[in-house]
Amino acid sequence: MIRADLHVHTKYSADASIHPKSIVDQLYAHPSIKAIAITDHNTIEGYHKVRQLATAYKDILIIPGVEVSTAEGDIIILGTEELPRTSRNAQNVIDFAREKDGLLIVAHPYRAYGLGDLAKNYDFDAIEVLNGASTPQVNKLAENLAKTMGLPGVAGSDAHRVDELWTAYTEVQSSSDIDEILKAVKKGFVRVASTGRSIHF
């Protein structure tokens, strides 16, 4: 079983301040969370920096990802080191992710920049039902959406500052292989959890 924070930003997101080295140091030091998805806004530069620094450690895993801004709302793609080339509408981003065999997650659907009920019109793999920067009420709406769509629920801290890391994470029944983790998420072999450190919990 792997514990992974599936939604983290670095200083390469315009609204975040976390240095890649801080992520690697904290991930290495954490007693149980050993995997993280770097999901900067519309860039993969932060992922490459974190992955490069993480090569010095054997027991931590850096999952490639990006949080793409679309006209309809934010979409997380995991498992690809590329960015969509086409205009940023939801269907184009989904088509791109399918071509790259990426994992598609609806990010914080009922918070600002979320897809909300529009998510029901598209083909996703999972819903972020526990977001460390969202209120319990908003997360509950996301949980209900996942049930309605018959999709697995995942969790991430949505950290933009160091003190926000690890507030929410996903337990994945998988080996420590990125492809296996993504397959397990798609199959619903997941459970969401909170450390209780967010102001919203």
Side-chain angles (χ1 to χ4, degrees), residues 1-8 27 30 32-36 128-132 153-158 164-172 190-197 201:
M1 190 263 290
I2 299 292
R3 292 184 175 93
D5 187 338
L6 295 180
H7 190 167
V8 173
L27 187 61
H30 199 283
S32 61
I33 298 173
K34 293 299 177 184
I36 194 168
E128 187 177 52
V129 301
L130 184 56
N131 175 288
V154 297
S157 63
D158 197 0
E164 296 170 338
L165 287 165
W166 330 125
T167 53
Y169 60 92
T170 307
E171 293 181 351
V172 187
V190 292
R191 189 178 80 86
V192 300
S194 161
T195 60
R197 288 196 295 108
F201 294 122

Side-chain angles (χ1 to χ4, degrees), residues 169-183:
Y169 60 92
T170 307
E171 293 181 351
V172 187
Q173 296 299 325
S174 170
S175 67
S176 58
D177 175 83
I178 292 175
D179 288 339
E180 292 303 315
I181 289 171
L182 299 183
K183 287 176 184 174

Side-chain angles (χ1 to χ4, degrees), residues 52-63:
Q52 184 180 18
L53 291 167
T55 56
Y57 305 97
K58 290 182 179 177
D59 67 336
I60 63 176
L61 188 67
I62 312 301
I63 301 168

